[in-house]
Amino acid sequence: MKLYKYFLAGLFGIAALSSCTDLEEHPYTFIDPNKYYNNEAELNSGLNSVYNAYRTLCNDGGTFMRLEGSTDFAQPNREGNKNNINDINAWKYQNQANNAGTFTSVWTKALTTIARANNMIAQVEASSMDETLKARAIAQCRFLRGCSYYWIVRLHGGAPIIESVTTDLNNLNFPRATADEVYEFIIKDWEYAEENLPVRGTANYDVWRASKGAAQAYLGNLYLYRASMAGAGGYKTFDKSLLQKAATYCKKVIDSGVYQLMPDFAELWCSLNGDKAKNNAESIYELQFSTLSGHGNGMHQNFGMFADSCYPEEFVSFGKTISTNGGGSYYYLRTAPSVEAWQSYDTNDQRLKVLITEGTYSKGGNLVHVKYHPEDLGSMKGTEGWGSCCPGNIKFHDFSKDARTNLRSGNNFMVMRYAQVLLDYAEIQNALGNQADALRYLNMVHTRAGLPAVTAASALALYQNDPTGRADVSSEADAVDEAIFMERGWEFIGEGVIYYDELRTDRLGKRVGYFVNKYNKMKFNQVLPLEFVPSKTHLWWIANSDMSANSALVQNPENKEDTRYTHFKN
């Protein structure tokens, strides 16, 4: 493997955060590590620069909006044009490094996190602290470094592999490693993290920090992703040796007994459960936020509800009216759960608690009661005053008094939770021919939603004659695979997960094509004509700014459309 070594100095100029998770940081330059890192408290304050950089990478609302908006599980909402969400939904920006239309910040923010991790590793290695503490600190850095590369490689493909430091990230001359080399580098980072990180809940180790279980969960997910991408088509073509590795890591998380599904889906979300939802028993790795300046969760500004820049006073969640008690920041409306996805839920599905279609908001001193109706075709006010195209998603909302006062959400964001491990494991077992195990783990998530258990026969009856043509099902194993895929969409809607699942399982072009074509022909507001049909090998081009910063970078090859589904462009 080629390793491209960079040298970094003085990137730690970020404001301190004071919150319940104590993410305060005291950044130190690469001068004399022994002078600064003399104990665990000083070490942790330095580590927080790395955590905060990764939080910034993941807290880019445009990235998550575009990930979700590139699928059939999201639709452009009232302000879709402001962030190119209506364009991205139509797959407009392809084979160009268009800074307005691609994932422009991922590469830069990932490299910044990687650079901070490398600087921290160098300082820790040079210190004279206890070796166990040093290994634990390095493991946290390597976990976050691996997570940053995981972002890059799935969106853009290969990247320069960074192991140490540079003086200028805007003036580089290092070529890209292959995607396989990047994956192997990530695996080594996460294997080191697994070996050296504590189990979640270990005394004197913050519950929100990277843990052994987090490394195992990500390794399982990575091996499943690679096994999926190694195959030409659906689950029958997955690489079985990689699936076995994925199964091993997922089972480690399951057998650890550290994590469990929250009994009620509503308990997962600050919007419905307040601060009790933070760092809950289902959370494997969670980003920490507060309403302080520079540390808010920006997701709620993009996944909105009701109407633009309004203050919700109450909302109806699964038939129950809930008051915000005068709390909560205002929201924007740039993307939302698609009407197609929303209508696909069973009416008894408890996950509908977060998909809001009715409530009361205040704006300009007036109280307005509104209700969503899909037959309004996304009209701004519709028949009952609903101010956006689609239902709202309150997974990222914060209805606290501080949120309204500071106009920021302090809601945390789980980027890996136990439900994902269970569904990863269910998919793996079905692909390996272990249908009973697949159904067992699928049903842990499915029945938590208040629904009857899925059987192979019930799945076959549901998906075998899909009139839309999106489900390619001719056997019980096919049907179980389709059931697991749909469960992922219902469970993780708005969380940026379904894009990667549609891509790696060869569903993306078919599902996006059907959905965009259907809603454009219906003349649904903000849905533009489909311009490109993505294939399983799709890679987003690197932004112009990143290409300019590294003279040795070579742009991705031109993406080819999936010719099986180009009829959806008509």
Side-chain angles (χ1 to χ4, degrees):
M1 180 191 304
K2 296 179 181 178
L3 300 176
Y4 305 105
K5 304 193 176 204
Y6 294 0
F7 292 89
L8 168 72
L11 279 179
F12 293 172
I14 190 169
L17 169 62
S18 176
S19 72
C20 61
T21 53
D22 193 25
L23 265 172
E24 184 178 0
E25 55 180 271
H26 297 287
Y28 304 120
T29 57
F30 188 60
I31 301 172
D32 182 5
N34 296 292
K35 180 178 179 181
Y36 300 111
Y37 298 134
N38 298 309
N39 55 56
E40 190 169 12
E42 291 180 352
L43 184 66
N44 284 339
S45 68
L47 282 169
N48 289 343
S49 276
V50 190
Y51 278 99
N52 286 342
Y54 187 68
R55 182 183 64 181
T56 299
L57 165 61
C58 294
N59 192 32
D60 187 313
T63 296
F64 276 86
M65 279 195 297
R66 287 170 177 170
L67 279 175
E68 203 80 2
S70 296
T71 76
D72 55 314
F73 278 83
Q75 272 180 268
N77 220 331
R78 180 173 180 173
E79 292 189 337
N81 60 314
K82 286 194 174 181
N83 285 74
N84 303 98
I85 299 305
N86 48 9
D87 289 336
I88 213 80
N89 188 245
W91 282 77
K92 179 177 182 179
Y93 299 107
Q94 299 308 317
N95 301 324
Q96 55 180 293
N98 186 309
N99 287 341
T102 56
F103 295 89
T104 55
S105 64
V106 169
W107 187 283
T108 300
K109 290 181 178 180
L111 285 186
T112 298
T113 306
I114 291 162
R116 290 189 180 186
N118 290 335
N119 193 22
M120 190 71 196
I121 290 169
Q123 294 185 65
V124 170
E125 287 177 339
S127 75
S128 57
M129 286 191 308
D130 175 79
E131 291 300 320
T132 300
L133 288 181
K134 289 171 65 172
R136 180 181 295 183
I138 292 169
Q140 291 175 72
C141 292
R142 293 185 67 171
F143 172 81
L144 295 169
R145 184 171 70 180
C147 288
S148 300
Y149 270 120
Y150 200 36
W151 269 101
I152 291 176
V153 73
R154 288 179 298 168
L155 278 175
H156 299 298
I161 294 176
I162 307 169
E163 279 198 298
S164 47
V165 273
T166 190
T167 56
D168 187 359
L169 288 176
N170 294 312
N171 188 24
L172 305 174
N173 185 30
F174 299 98
R176 301 166 71 177
T178 67
D180 284 341
E181 288 172 334
V182 173
Y183 279 122
E184 290 304 317
F185 187 73
I186 296 169
I187 289 167
K188 288 182 179 179
D189 269 354
W190 286 346
E191 286 176 341
Y192 182 91
E194 180 197 15
E195 182 179 353
N196 291 282
L197 287 176
V199 172
R200 186 180 195 262
T202 295
N204 300 317
Y205 187 75
D206 297 314
V207 70
W208 53 266
R209 292 188 181 275
S211 66
K212 184 181 297 292
Q216 292 166 342
Y218 271 97
L219 279 163
N221 186 260
L222 179 149
Y223 276 116
L224 172 58
Y225 194 85
R226 290 189 79 193
S228 309
M229 296 303 288
Y235 76 98
K236 295 175 183 177
T237 68
F238 289 1
D239 184 305
K240 297 297 190 292
S241 63
L242 292 174
L243 281 178
Q244 292 288 358
K245 291 182 179 181
T248 297
Y249 282 108
C250 290
K251 199 63 164 61
K252 284 183 179 183
V253 178
I254 294 167
D255 290 345
S256 71
V258 173
Y259 308 97
Q260 62 183 22
L261 294 177
M262 299 297 286
D264 184 346
F265 188 73
E267 294 177 292
L268 289 166
W269 315 106
C270 290
S271 52
L272 296 172
N273 198 27
D275 285 345
K276 291 182 291 184
K278 294 184 176 182
N279 303 303
N280 60 69
E282 188 168 329
S283 176
I284 294 179
Y285 186 59
E286 181 168 327
L287 304 175
Q288 310 297 305
F289 294 96
S290 82
T291 58
L292 295 176
S293 177
H295 301 291
N297 183 343
M299 296 296 185
H300 76 294
Q301 295 179 353
N302 305 302
F303 295 86
M305 58 187 288
F306 296 171
D308 179 36
S309 301
C310 69
Y311 294 93
E313 300 297 333
E314 63 182 26
F315 56 94
V316 179
S317 173
F318 209 61
K320 180 180 179 182
T321 299
I322 299 174
S323 173
T324 67
N325 296 312
S329 176
Y330 62 74
Y331 311 117
Y332 301 104
L333 295 159
R334 290 167 182 159
T335 194
S338 71
V339 177
E340 186 84 1
W342 173 62
Q343 292 181 320
S344 73
Y345 281 80
D346 187 291
T347 55
N348 295 313
D349 195 320
Q350 296 290 310
R351 290 169 295 204
L352 287 170
K353 289 178 178 179
V354 300
L355 303 186
I356 305 303
T357 58
E358 184 178 0
T360 302
Y361 69 84
S362 61
K363 188 171 185 179
N366 298 315
L367 286 179
V368 184
H369 188 81
V370 295
K371 190 172 182 178
Y372 177 72
H373 297 286
E375 60 268 22
D376 291 329
L377 300 183
S379 170
M380 290 296 94
K381 294 300 179 183
T383 54
E384 292 194 56
W386 189 260
S388 60
C389 300
C390 310
N393 183 348
I394 61 170
K395 285 183 176 180
F396 301 109
H397 295 338
D398 177 0
F399 296 124
S400 69
K401 298 283 188 181
D402 283 346
R404 177 166 290 194
T405 300
N406 298 322
L407 299 182
R408 283 182 290 274
S409 171
N411 188 345
N412 282 0
F413 175 22
M414 292 173 283
V415 289
M416 175 63 73
R417 53 187 176 93
Y418 189 48
Q420 186 165 354
V421 175
L422 294 175
L423 292 178
D424 281 357
Y425 193 65
E427 182 181 348
I428 293 161
Q429 291 305 315
N430 190 61
L432 290 173
N434 304 322
Q435 191 179 99
D437 279 344
L439 288 167
R440 175 188 174 191
Y441 290 98
L442 162 64
N443 281 318
M444 289 181 184
V445 178
H446 191 73
T447 59
R448 192 264 295 271
L451 302 172
V454 177
T455 66
S458 68
L460 186 62
L462 183 61
Y463 296 114
Q464 187 173 30
N465 298 308
D466 177 13
T468 70
R470 288 174 296 175
D472 184 14
V473 170
S474 59
S475 68
E476 287 188 344
D478 293 343
V480 172
D481 181 72
E482 187 69 17
I484 294 167
F485 167 77
M486 289 302 299
E487 199 71 34
R488 289 180 181 277
W490 297 324
E491 180 73 18
F492 300 112
I493 194 166
E495 296 179 57
V497 173
I498 196 66
Y499 170 83
Y500 296 116
D501 289 330
E502 291 198 356
L503 178 74
R504 67 180 178 78
T505 62
D506 199 28
R507 288 178 168 96
L508 185 59
K510 175 167 57 176
R511 293 189 66 91
V512 166
Y514 168 85
F515 162 73
V516 177
N517 179 271
K518 173 182 175 179
Y519 282 81
N520 179 252
K521 285 185 174 180
M522 290 169 59
K523 300 188 183 304
F524 205 97
N525 186 42
Q526 295 281 357
V527 179
L528 304 179
L530 185 67
E531 296 199 18
F532 183 89
V533 182
S535 70
K536 180 174 180 174
T537 60
H538 190 273
L539 291 174
W540 293 89
W541 276 26
I542 304 168
N544 288 327
S545 55
D546 295 309
M547 292 294 295
S548 298
N550 187 344
S551 59
L553 287 184
V554 175
Q555 186 59 270
N556 284 326
E558 181 174 317
N559 285 295
K560 305 297 182 184
E561 289 192 272
D562 193 327
T563 57
R564 295 173 295 177
Y565 310 115
T566 49
H567 61 277
F568 285 124
K569 294 170 65 178
N570 301 323

